[in-house]
Amino acid sequence: SPSIGRRPITSVVLSLHPPLVTQADRGCSPLIILSRQPTSSTMKTVILTIPSAAAVGTLVVSLVNNNNSVGDSTSAPAHRRLGLLSHKLIDPQTTEFKPPFSPISSTISSKEEEELNSRSLINMCVGEEVPTVTHEISYSPQVSRQKQQTVKACGVDYFRSESEWIEKQQQTICTPSINVYAWLMDKVNCFGEGYPLWTAYGELIHLLRDKALINPDGTYIDDDFDNWVTHPTLQMILNLEPYLWSHFGWSIRVFYSCDKSIIFAQLTPVCGHEYKMKMSKVKAQYPAIELYVMQEEYREGKGWWLKDLYTESSFPLDWLVPARRYQYGTINLQIPAISEKILDCVYGNWHVFSKGHAGDDNECGD
């Protein structure tokens, strides 16, 4: 309809749930806000269902009667323009939602919806059909209402068999880590809200202190790339393994707990890596990209926290959310909302070079 009643429509605001995204400046901007929201307006909302492969979800068309001109995407906050996680903290005392409602997990309402959305997002963001993962690795996301007991790693698994690995080594040239990392961040940013991938630990120090991940001579500063992921992001990355394998010569090794849920994952090149069912650092031609899985916990009197299931360190949710954009060369990275406080807690004086590593079981908070 060209009008609301007898008054003309001067702008249209479109949003897709899950967000429809498009690539821009190597990042991906969700088409969430096409005009500045008026301070007062008459709004009617039309809801349409779009059951297509490219955009599965509900398109909400808000017809706004106002005199503002249509702006560009820069009118949205930076973390929303980039498709990074943006959630308000939930106060269980003042909201109708009670634990275990989670600010992150609630972005996906069911396992079936998650699977449908993930396939749609992956094919759209990658730009081609990505084969379905055939290797079954357990995935058991849990939202806890209280502080968890210690989670121990009980085993290791690969996405590929040893024979596949050896055959691939003989016929492939592996892509360098920095290129795979750039590609991975581009895709995760494209997935939109609810799929954070934060730079963590040593790499976070190198970004903030050294402003670099690579030495001037082209060598890597660290022997891996540390990152935090939530369960939805982890599942999306696991689904990308067939593409990593066929295009880059990379695959994934995971550490799992005794209840068969993944607590840590290593993206690794096949080149130079000996196939081992052993919990250890990856040794390969290029550094691995490591994913520390973050578990959401609700703590009475403290609100929502995120716990690293592998190192057992815990942080208040608002120390990580919303993710901040960090531009490193052509790579659009995500870093925690209050990165400096996290590093202060985990490392102490991280501004001075040290050979020490992050300790385990850090309980951070104000």
Side-chain angles (χ1 to χ4, degrees), residues 44-285:
K44 289 188 178 181
T45 300
V46 179
I47 300 178
L48 304 173
T49 299
I50 304 179
S52 68
V56 178
T58 302
L59 180 67
V60 180
V61 183
S62 300
L63 307 179
V64 183
N65 175 38
N66 67 84
N67 295 319
N68 291 10
S69 60
V70 177
D72 58 26
S73 62
T74 59
S75 61
H79 58 273
R80 289 187 67 81
R81 294 202 309 273
L82 292 167
L84 308 187
L85 183 64
S86 175
H87 289 291
K88 293 178 65 176
L89 293 181
I90 303 301
D91 181 354
Q93 304 303 319
T94 60
T95 180
E96 62 181 358
F97 299 109
K98 302 294 183 181
F101 172 84
S102 160
I104 296 178
S105 295
S106 62
T107 58
I108 298 173
S109 61
S110 69
K111 185 176 181 181
E112 292 75 17
E113 181 183 346
E114 177 183 356
E115 184 175 349
L116 184 62
N117 290 346
S118 66
R119 296 310 309 171
S120 175
L121 280 173
I122 287 171
N123 293 338
M124 178 175 65
C125 292
V126 172
E128 63 181 74
E129 184 76 22
V130 178
T132 302
V133 175
T134 56
H135 185 82
E136 290 295 327
I137 293 181
S138 298
Y139 165 63
S140 308
Q142 300 287 330
V143 177
S144 173
R145 294 191 61 173
Q146 58 189 359
K147 187 174 179 180
Q148 289 288 294
Q149 299 296 320
T150 299
V151 178
K152 297 293 185 182
C154 283
V156 177
D157 200 359
Y158 284 82
F159 261 69
R160 301 287 168 168
S161 67
E162 186 169 9
S163 59
E164 286 180 292
W165 199 272
I166 294 173
E167 182 180 358
K168 190 73 169 177
Q169 286 179 325
Q170 297 170 348
Q171 59 184 232
T172 194
I173 297 175
C174 296
T175 303
S177 301
I178 197 67
N179 301 87
V180 176
Y181 197 32
W183 178 88
L184 182 66
M185 287 306 311
D186 186 62
K187 303 314 159 195
V188 171
N189 287 334
C190 185
F191 295 154
E193 295 186 13
Y195 299 99
L197 175 60
W198 297 279
T199 302
Y201 297 126
E203 271 45 61
L204 189 57
I205 290 180
H206 296 314
L207 282 179
L208 299 186
R209 185 188 66 197
D210 308 321
K211 312 299 181 187
L213 299 176
I214 299 178
N215 292 309
D217 63 0
T219 59
Y220 293 94
I221 293 178
D222 212 340
D223 58 0
D224 54 38
F225 289 83
D226 300 322
N227 301 269
W228 284 309
V229 294
T230 57
H231 285 291
T233 309
L234 172 65
Q235 187 61 64
M236 294 292 275
I237 294 174
L238 297 181
N239 288 335
L240 290 173
E241 193 277 345
Y243 191 99
L244 292 167
W245 180 260
S246 62
H247 288 70
F248 302 135
W250 283 56
S251 188
I252 302 175
R253 182 172 76 170
V254 300
F255 297 7
Y256 56 85
S257 63
C258 298
D259 66 358
K260 301 297 184 181
S261 60
I262 299 172
I263 62 174
F264 180 68
Q266 297 166 316
L267 278 63
T268 176
V270 300
C271 303
H273 176 69
E274 183 180 354
Y275 194 95
K276 285 185 177 181
M277 293 292 186
K278 180 181 178 182
M279 287 179 279
S280 62
K281 279 274 192 182
V282 166
K283 294 183 179 180
Q285 181 180 5

Side-chain angles (χ1 to χ4, degrees), residues 286-302:
Y286 301 114
I289 299 170
E290 298 189 332
L291 308 176
Y292 294 82
V293 181
M294 299 293 265
Q295 172 72 63
E296 298 167 79
E297 295 181 352
Y298 181 78
R299 301 183 182 181
E300 294 294 337
K302 293 186 177 181

